[in-house]
Amino acid sequence: MTDSNALMATYAPPDILFERGEGSWLITREGDRYLDFISGIAVTAFGHEHPHLVAALKEQTDKYWHSSNMFRVEGAEKLARRLTDNSFADRVFFCNSGAEAVEAGLKMMRRYHYDRGQPHRSRIIGMHNAFHGRTIATIAAAGNPAHTKGFFEGDMGFDHVPFGDIDALQEAVTDKTAGIILEPIQGEGGIMPAPDGYLKAVRDLCSQTGTLFMVDEIQCGMGRTGKLFAHEWDQIKPDILASAKGLGGGFPIGACLATEQVSACMIVGTHGSTFGGNPLATNVGNAVLDLVLAEGFLETVYERGQYLKGALEALVTRHPDKLAGVRGRGLMLGLQTHISNTRLLDCLREAGLLTGRAGSDILRLLPPLNVSTAEIDQALTLMDTVLTDWQSG
Ligand SMILES: *Cc1c(COP(=O)(O)O)cnc(C)c1O
């Protein structure tokens, strides 16, 4: 038996211990099976124990684990090349988490202008309801008072505007602005996609003013919406992109991608990471890319997303007193509720379906990208039962 009392109380998990995973399922020692439609928050992009990912990790554990970036790492070079071949970017910096990927981008935005003789261009604009991680800089970038309270004074060089409001953004950009950071689909903030035309307008504003445009695709990227990166839907190119979560399929890895021009400031000594791009993480990352970039795979993600979205819309029609609507793209979907999203999440878990929360009234659904339609049907049956049996109050 174990207890959680030696852990800092930053989380309050329910009293369930999983012993193993199997595709879209997590299983306790007692054999209770849970359908996993949250995927460790978009991390286990191919479910649990996908044979191709397990093989990639095992292959590397038998060779060597770590050398640090004092030496070349073949898996890192290969993964960087594949990410750049398939995106706007020319260069990649590897790290171990989402927050570190954002941090690298924030530093780059400031250093870029500094190196061009404009050190006063250091302010960065973030969006209301954003989430970029839990380090000092990333909480400052998102500006959520619930996360920043008690951790620093002042604004740390960040300004904030409402997400989707191009006029407010135009107003906020000054000759002191280094860059803008946003999530193409806000995750923690409530599965909120950018309004049509917004990313294009931000791109134009940035290009006109020499401001750098950074997208945080830690949650919405890596195939989640049916494109490798979500900004591709808007046919724009950012200058910098943060990736993590699904990139490692469950193994910790983060990456900051940038164009040649912008990344040129990141020379020896400017930045680093002991574990970043380690052989274990990058071997798994390459295996994830094998699956994401397989011919026709991203189309199937989009189709499964449409299937799930349609089924959720039908559920909203059946339970209009409890559900308000569905939003999101691909397999990044939010179900807006009239009832408490926390209580709904608890009841679904008790019924055997794992989901997440986002914002104040969103139930978040992030199933594995290779979820089957039969599993989607099972999830919907569970949701329908829970909502039908719902006792108000
Ligand atoms: C999860 C997340 C992060 C932070 O990632 P960590 O690995 O927890 O540091 C940053 N941005 C977005 C959009 C995220 O969803």
Side-chain angles (χ1 to χ4, degrees), residues 7-252:
L7 293 173
M8 283 197 199
T10 50
Y11 291 96
D15 193 14
I16 303 175
L17 264 183
F18 299 120
E19 189 187 42
R20 62 198 171 86
E22 224 176 70
S24 304
W25 299 83
L26 278 168
I27 303 152
T28 66
R29 194 175 308 163
E30 294 75 36
D32 296 330
R33 295 170 64 84
Y34 292 82
L35 187 50
D36 186 1
F37 266 44
I38 189 63
S39 307
I41 315 179
V43 168
T44 48
F46 289 89
H48 303 280
E49 301 296 300
H50 190 289
H52 187 62
L53 305 192
V54 173
L57 184 58
K58 282 190 174 159
E59 181 198 46
Q60 191 59 45
T61 58
D62 288 345
K63 291 179 179 170
Y64 77 109
W65 291 10
H66 184 81
S67 61
S68 91
N69 293 298
M70 292 169 63
F71 304 98
R72 289 177 62 185
V73 177
E74 192 179 11
E77 293 177 3
K78 184 176 165 194
L79 183 55
R81 177 56 62 208
R82 295 173 80 193
L83 287 170
T84 58
D85 280 350
N86 288 283
S87 73
F88 72 95
D90 305 301
R91 301 271 185 162
V92 182
F93 175 83
F94 287 115
C95 47
N96 316 288
S97 67
E100 287 171 87
V102 173
E103 183 92 20
L106 298 175
K107 286 179 72 175
M108 206 181 328
M109 288 201 267
R110 288 184 174 163
R111 185 66 186 231
Y112 168 84
H113 293 289
Y114 177 90
D115 278 8
R116 291 160 76 94
Q118 299 189 302
H120 54 279
R121 289 195 76 161
S122 68
R123 295 194 69 83
I124 293 167
I125 302 173
M127 302 289 149
H128 294 169
N129 291 321
F131 182 79
H132 300 300
R134 295 296 205 135
T135 64
I136 294 276
T138 56
I139 58 176
N144 178 347
H147 293 173
T148 58
K149 188 182 165 207
F151 291 122
F152 54 81
E153 280 188 12
D155 61 23
M156 302 282 283
F158 291 90
D159 300 304
H160 298 96
V161 296
F163 181 51
D165 182 342
I166 192 67
D167 295 333
L169 187 60
Q170 217 146 10
E171 194 95 344
V173 172
T174 71
D175 58 2
K176 291 197 174 62
T177 307
I180 293 166
I181 178 168
L182 60 81
E183 300 152 82
I185 301 178
Q186 290 190 328
E188 307 298 310
I191 312 293
M192 185 59 84
D196 284 344
Y198 180 65
L199 296 193
K200 174 82 170 58
V202 175
R203 175 68 274 175
D204 290 345
L205 175 62
C206 285
S207 298
Q208 284 156 18
T209 56
T211 306
L212 296 178
F213 183 13
M214 174 171 180
V215 290
D216 178 346
E217 295 229 12
I218 289 164
Q219 194 164 145
C220 63
M222 270 302 126
R224 182 65 34 199
T225 65
K227 300 267 190 202
L228 182 59
F229 294 115
H231 69 266
E232 295 169 27
W233 287 104
D234 294 80
Q235 292 167 315
I236 57 112
K237 288 184 164 74
D239 300 301
I240 305 173
L241 178 147
S243 178
K245 290 204 165 106
L247 176 59
F251 201 93

